[in-house]
Amino acid sequence: MGLTTLLFVVLIGTSTTSGGMCCAGKDDCLARNFGHGSVVCECNASHCDSVGSVKLPPVGQFLSFLSSKAGSRLVRGQGTVLQNSTGAALRLTIVPYQKYQRIKGFGGAMTDAAAINILSLSGGTQDQLLRQYFAPEGIAYSVVRVPMASCDFSTRLYTYADSAGDYSLTNFTLSAEDTEMKIPLIQKAQAMSPQPLSLLASAWSAPAWMKTSGALIGKGTLKGHPGGKEYKTWAHYYVRFLEEYRKFNLSFWAVTTGNEPSAGQMTNYSFQALGFTPETQRDWVIMDLGPALHASPFADTRVIILDDNRLLLPHWAKVVLSDVRAARYIHGIGVHWYLNKLVPAELSLGTTHHVFPEYFLFGTEACAGWSPLDRGVKLGSWERAEDYAHDIIEDLNHYVTGWTDWNLALDLGGGPNWVKNFVDSPIIVDEKKDVFYKQPTFYSLAHFSKFLLEGSLRVGVSSSKASALESSAFIRPDGAVVLVILNRSEEHIPFEIWYPEVGFIPMDAAARSILTVVWATQ
Ligand SMILES: *[C@@H]1O[C@H](CO)[C@@H](O)[C@H](O)[C@H]1NC(C)=O
Ligand SMILES: *[C@@H]1O[C@H](CO)[C@@H](O)[C@H](O)[C@H]1NC(C)=O
Ligand SMILES: *[C@@H]1O[C@H](CO)[C@@H](O)[C@H](O)[C@H]1NC(C)=O
Ligand SMILES: *[C@@H]1O[C@H](CO)[C@@H](O)[C@H](O)[C@H]1NC(C)=O
Ligand SMILES: *[C@@H]1O[C@H](CO)[C@@H](O)[C@H](O)[C@H]1NC(C)=O
Ligand SMILES: *[C@@H]1O[C@H](CO)[C@@H](O)[C@H](O)[C@H]1NC(C)=O
């Protein structure tokens, strides 16, 4: 980092009444500009900006929260709902009788790397970081994805059953990464969270001795065939994992059938993977995983198939879910966002939903900075915040019920990652300064996670004319309406929101901004 990028420190007032830039209060963003287009907010043990808990004003008033490339971060506004139209050329009308899916939740992954980074901070700063995601004043994360044993975001290669030939899994043991790092942090997050966290487990690779390759990495599948001893042992491994975590009072909402099964079919794949075709995944569920979970104390654990890129849909889902012997054990379909540009949402997510409406779609992984053309951490990139919001809105508008980010925290280099597959994260930790930076992507996720409570129902939005605004609307269980709007465009058009029965809300989505508008209806 050169001197030129060090540093404009700007304090951005979040008060909508003062208007000026004065006096950083306890809730204000300590903005730092690293020269990537926008700012990050710096936090330490005693100071961090916070949106606080959001109490809705009475019917007839609305709240708005704005984040922008110019530097606003969840800046709160409040106003009165009008009885008459403002005459704006663009009107977004909420259509409550068009009802779609219900929201499960939003979150991120407690990888080994995330845990290492969080624990590299002082105790007070660790707590501050966890509060940002999980506490009532934070952004209401309710989903935590937990890798089962090592993945690329680990510092070594391991599984929980590395003694060769241990088909009965007598030597199954959690790693120190689990018992000393991830579990204590998840327990702290759970203690801070006002709601039970929904834990989601994904495995990258089976033990090497169960695999055709004899290795955790590269192309390889389980030896033998579904119903055979390796496939049975691999299903038993899931039950053992759930048993071990239960000893720490952590129970899982869901398990996936394995992270990115297509990776394990690729020659020389550089990190942990386990190959399945849709056919072998289907048959493993029928003969091994389904019966093993069903017969265990974890029969209520949701089973999510795919856990891989949406370009594999609808084919993957058709192969697995068309067989009722597999389908009866399955609840949902997990998608990753990589390569989304290659396949339109309607063709993949939309088609899958229309063929199998009773299975939920769920975003299980996404991150910025993964592409070789745009690699690693970029402190303050607004484009990446837009990429998140665009993808979340597109997913939500195609029946997806939640969205899980990748690593909850990474270091300044986007790691650690044993295979140097460095990427970006919404929270970047600077261990030396004992601070962390909340990236624009943190706020982008917050525009959804903070406001779309579990059980929120997506409803229709109709636009009076074509516009560049992207949006998605919801009615929450408490009756409040939430509209999230992304403006990536360069055109200037003020607009209004119409909610029949309540009235008109005049709005102006600032340049390059994300806006959440919320109002009570009862
Ligand atoms: C934390 O940050 C605040 C705001 O910049 C600063 O006033 C305070 O001294 C910092 N605390 C520590 C322990 O560095
Ligand atoms: C709303 O429109 C009606 C009909 O045009 C008009 O009579 C009324 O005065 C308007 N109300 C306000 C508050 O402007
Ligand atoms: C379990 O581990 C111990 C110690 O490494 C080893 O002696 C034993 O053979 C292992 N058991 C199995 C079933 O692999
Ligand atoms: C286990 O977790 C539940 C729900 O999170 C909590 O109510 C209970 O107190 C916990 N029990 C222990 C022993 O920590
Ligand atoms: C895979 O790795 C081997 C050994 O390093 C190499 O010989 C081979 O060319 C690689 N194959 C591909 C398709 O990259
Ligand atoms: C969207 O952003 C552009 C600039 O990028 C701005 O001119 C325009 O006013 C914004 N759109 C709306 C609807 O406010």
Side-chain angles (χ1 to χ4, degrees):
M1 192 73 41
L3 261 186
T4 47
T5 54
L6 286 173
L7 284 171
F8 279 109
V9 178
V10 189
L11 299 175
I12 297 171
T14 52
S15 155
T16 49
T17 48
S18 82
M21 287 199 195
C22 165
C23 337
K26 80 174 190 16
D27 290 339
D28 294 339
C29 167
L30 176 58
R32 291 195 178 270
N33 190 335
F34 289 87
H36 293 297
S38 191
V39 296
V40 298
C41 300
E42 182 180 307
C43 296
N44 64 16
S46 61
H47 176 94
C48 200
D49 56 297
S50 155
V51 61
S53 54
V54 174
K55 193 174 173 297
L56 290 187
V59 179
Q61 305 257 302
F62 65 88
L63 287 181
S64 64
F65 295 85
L66 176 76
S67 300
S68 68
K69 183 168 192 282
S72 298
R73 294 292 178 265
L74 290 168
V75 172
R76 187 189 292 239
Q78 184 165 346
T80 304
V81 181
L82 308 175
Q83 289 317 302
N84 286 354
S85 167
T86 61
L90 176 62
R91 176 189 295 166
L92 300 181
T93 303
I94 311 292
V95 190
Y97 58 82
Q98 284 174 1
K99 295 175 182 166
Y100 303 95
Q101 80 279 20
R102 283 192 190 275
I103 292 298
K104 172 65 186 173
F106 299 83
M110 187 62 84
T111 57
D112 292 352
I116 289 166
N117 283 307
I118 297 169
L119 293 167
S120 75
L121 297 164
S122 66
T125 310
Q126 288 176 30
D127 288 352
Q128 180 77 279
L129 190 158
L130 291 173
R131 282 200 300 274
Q132 294 306 306
Y133 281 130
F134 300 104
E137 74 266 29
I139 64 171
Y141 267 20
S142 63
V143 175
V144 180
R145 185 171 182 228
V146 184
M148 291 166 66
S150 67
C151 67
D152 56 327
F153 279 95
S154 298
T155 53
R156 64 188 183 99
L157 288 127
Y158 64 90
T159 77
Y160 302 131
D162 290 325
S163 356
D166 186 8
Y167 287 100
S168 58
L169 301 180
T170 19
N171 280 351
F172 185 102
T173 8
L174 294 182
S175 67
E177 284 85 343
D178 292 274
T179 57
E180 282 158 35
M181 305 173 87
K182 290 154 63 178
I183 289 173
L185 289 171
I186 296 168
Q187 286 173 327
K188 265 193 185 172
Q190 177 61 84
M192 288 174 180
S193 169
Q195 70 223 329
L197 296 176
S198 293
L199 304 183
L200 163 65
S202 292
W204 266 247
S205 176
W209 56 270
M210 292 186 199
K211 295 175 65 182
T212 52
S213 53
L216 302 189
I217 70 167
K219 181 173 178 161
T221 63
L222 291 165
K223 288 180 190 163
H225 46 82
K229 66 180 178 174
E230 284 79 11
Y231 280 82
K232 282 239 169 308
T233 304
W234 186 229
H236 182 203
Y237 182 103
Y238 273 61
V239 174
R240 290 288 300 111
F241 172 81
L242 296 170
E243 283 172 357
E244 291 301 318
Y245 263 68
R246 191 176 55 173
K247 292 177 184 165
F248 295 91
N249 201 23
L250 294 175
S251 62
F252 280 76
W253 159 62
V255 296
T256 76
T257 39
N259 179 71
E260 298 188 354
S262 66
Q265 300 178 53
M266 291 177 199
T267 308
N268 290 359
Y269 193 73
S270 66
F271 56 88
Q272 295 94 321
L274 179 62
F276 281 96
T277 63
E279 289 79 11
T280 57
Q281 184 171 92
R282 172 196 65 202
D283 294 345
W284 178 56
V285 170
I286 294 173
M287 295 195 227
D288 308 306
L289 183 67
L293 285 173
H294 188 71
S296 80
F298 311 103
D300 290 339
T301 309
R302 298 302 187 229
V303 175
I304 297 177
I305 60 165
L306 192 59
D307 202 9
D308 204 333
N309 296 326
R310 77 180 185 202
L311 68 83
L312 297 165
L313 293 174
H315 175 70
W316 195 287
K318 281 185 178 165
V319 171
V320 180
L321 296 175
S322 296
D323 190 323
V324 293
R325 294 170 306 161
R328 64 183 167 166
Y329 293 121
I330 294 165
H331 307 86
I333 303 159
V335 287
H336 294 190
W337 86 338
Y338 313 100
L339 311 180
N340 272 1
K341 289 201 172 82
L342 300 183
V343 50
E346 186 51 38
L347 273 183
S348 50
L349 304 172
T351 305
T352 305
H353 172 79
H354 293 304
V355 181
F356 301 107
E358 61 277 47
Y359 297 89
F360 65 79
L361 288 159
F362 196 78
T364 49
E365 190 184 305
C367 68
W370 62 277
S371 145
L373 302 174
D374 186 29
R375 184 46 98 179
V377 175
K378 262 193 187 168
L379 289 174
S381 164
W382 186 255
E383 283 69 25
R384 290 178 176 187
E386 291 178 340
D387 290 345
Y388 267 45
H390 167 77
D391 192 72
I392 296 171
I393 289 175
E394 181 178 74
D395 273 2
L396 293 174
N397 288 347
H398 291 89
Y399 309 98
V400 171
T401 60
W403 204 89
T404 318
D405 191 23
W406 191 206
N407 301 274
L408 285 165
L410 289 174
D411 67 22
L412 289 162
N417 181 294
W418 75 268
V419 70
K420 299 190 165 55
N421 181 24
F422 302 128
V423 302
D424 209 342
S425 167
I427 290 189
I428 297 296
V429 164
D430 186 340
E431 175 188 358
K432 287 209 183 72
K433 295 193 181 136
D434 194 32
V435 300
F436 61 90
Y437 302 117
K438 293 196 293 180
Q439 291 265 49
T441 48
F442 176 92
Y443 298 89
S444 189
L445 255 162
H447 275 274
F448 303 87
S449 63
K450 179 74 178 171
F451 304 97
L452 300 181
L453 312 178
E454 182 166 359
S456 295
L457 177 72
R458 182 167 74 86
V459 295
V461 189
S462 87
S463 183
S464 62
K465 66 185 187 87
S467 91
L469 296 184
E470 299 165 53
S471 65
S472 198
F474 301 83
I475 299 178
R476 300 200 308 204
D478 65 1
V481 182
V482 178
L483 178 64
V484 189
I485 297 160
L486 169 65
N487 181 13
R488 297 193 292 177
S489 86
E490 304 297 342
E491 56 169 328
H492 186 99
I493 5 150
F495 68 101
E496 66 180 12
I497 302 164
W498 184 33
Y499 186 76
E501 292 173 29
V502 175
F504 297 85
I505 297 176
M507 269 296 146
D508 207 350
R512 307 288 300 270
S513 70
I514 308 167
L515 183 65
T516 299
V517 189
V518 52
W519 63 95
T521 58
Q522 61 194 32

